[in-house]
Amino acid sequence: MWLGSLLSFCHFILVYLFGNTEKQRIVSDCCSNRKDTSSLFIDSWIRSKQAILKLQSGQTRSLTVVNFGKSNNKVKEHFVICIDAQLNQTMRLITGNMRPTPIDWLPYLSNIAPPDLRRKKSTSNLLSKIKANTKLPINTVLEIPPPTRLISRNPAWVADENVDLKEEWRNRWSNLAIANKDLVEDPNTKPPGYNLPRRTWSTLNRIRTSTGRCNYLLNKWNMSPDQNCDCGQIQTMHHILRDCPRRFFQGTLGDIHRCTEEALEWIRHLDIPL
């Protein structure tokens, strides 16, 4: 009986937030006499692309995942994966990068901290705020927290209260194994050329990440029959930048990253749409 009341309340919330008949159908199906209705409701709602897009755009300000026993941890994990996938796609649009681009490049080029670090920082801020208010009953639990029984569980009270987001991102960046990471001294700073025109900005980022529409990669992705450049050599991103006799850049990769006038002029007159 309590499940039916809960689903009715969720039905009202979903219709109020989204106004979608699909949500009504999902809730109606769950209210019928079926087995495992709780997991059906949660899984169907999590897979809703419209819900994820609304969460991504900030139209839904808060979300509470109801605890339905064993399925709760799996649901939250699936939820986080779906949200991160949408965030990565948004950062690709911001930076003009392609899907094969290493994901670790996207937060820096978008000037947005990695989502898992931001979640960690938010948890730390929430825990500090709770402990600062001694009148809250939860503080009695936090003083002597219950033991953690399963390694897979990460309750909020085991989180670090003093999370330095910028320092953690610097440490993560220094331990990465991605191409051209030495171009960036501090990932917390805005990348040079952030206000460039869209086409120049996209080409610049694809050169930084060594992932663009060169013939070698296009052939690897089955999008081009030939991997050679018009000069006769294999056309990689490094070849275009350093070795191609027709279009090589006379400066360094660092000059391109810093957006010097010579580098921007070379990118504007590049005859290959990277």
Side-chain angles (χ1 to χ4, degrees), residues 122-273:
S122 297
T123 304
S124 172
N125 293 341
L126 178 61
L127 199 59
S128 300
K129 186 177 180 179
I130 291 174
K131 291 186 175 181
N133 189 350
T134 57
K135 296 181 180 180
L136 294 176
I138 194 175
N139 283 306
T140 59
V141 178
L142 296 179
E143 290 178 359
I144 307 177
T148 55
R149 295 177 297 173
L150 299 175
I151 300 177
S152 59
R153 298 296 188 266
N154 296 304
W157 54 78
V158 301
D160 188 2
E161 293 184 50
N162 301 314
V163 176
D164 189 342
L165 179 62
K166 294 184 177 181
E167 187 61 29
E168 290 214 9
W169 195 5
R170 289 191 200 98
N171 294 335
R172 173 179 295 188
W173 187 265
S174 63
N175 296 324
L176 290 177
I178 55 176
N180 304 330
K181 77 163 189 176
D182 294 333
L183 293 173
V184 181
E185 296 180 0
D186 185 0
N188 296 285
T189 58
K190 183 179 291 188
Y194 200 80
N195 297 320
L196 287 172
R198 174 70 180 178
R199 182 174 181 180
T200 307
W201 169 246
S202 299
T203 304
L204 173 64
N205 289 332
R206 293 179 184 185
I207 294 173
R208 283 168 169 163
T209 60
S210 293
T211 307
R213 291 183 293 181
C214 61
N215 283 343
Y216 171 75
L217 291 178
L218 290 176
N219 179 261
K220 185 178 179 180
W221 302 331
N222 296 323
M223 298 178 65
S224 175
D226 188 12
Q227 64 178 356
N228 291 332
C229 181
D230 49 11
C231 68
Q233 302 181 40
I234 296 178
Q235 190 188 75
T236 62
M237 298 294 288
H238 181 270
H239 169 78
I240 296 173
L241 183 65
R242 308 301 305 163
D243 301 331
C244 184
R246 300 187 179 184
R247 53 183 70 89
F248 73 94
F249 179 58
Q250 295 182 354
T252 65
L253 182 59
D255 294 334
I256 293 180
H257 174 67
R258 292 188 295 271
C259 299
T260 62
E261 288 298 327
E262 294 79 9
L264 294 179
E265 191 68 18
W266 177 78
I267 290 176
R268 294 189 189 102
H269 290 85
L270 193 63
D271 60 341
I272 300 177

Side-chain angles (χ1 to χ4, degrees), residues 3 7 30 34-43 68 71:
L3 181 58
L7 290 176
C30 291
R34 297 185 180 183
K35 296 181 179 179
D36 198 16
T37 55
S38 58
S39 61
L40 173 64
F41 171 75
I42 289 294
D43 291 343
F68 284 116
S71 63

Side-chain angles (χ1 to χ4, degrees), residues 29-68:
D29 291 343
C30 291
C31 290
S32 61
N33 295 326
R34 297 185 180 183
K35 296 181 179 179
D36 198 16
T37 55
S38 58
S39 61
L40 173 64
F41 171 75
I42 289 294
D43 291 343
S44 301
W45 193 86
I46 291 298
R47 282 196 294 265
S48 173
K49 184 178 180 181
Q50 183 180 2
I52 293 173
L53 291 175
K54 283 183 176 292
L55 286 168
Q56 172 189 329
S57 61
Q59 294 180 25
T60 305
R61 296 186 178 182
S62 62
L63 174 71
T64 302
V65 178
V66 184
N67 188 348
F68 284 116

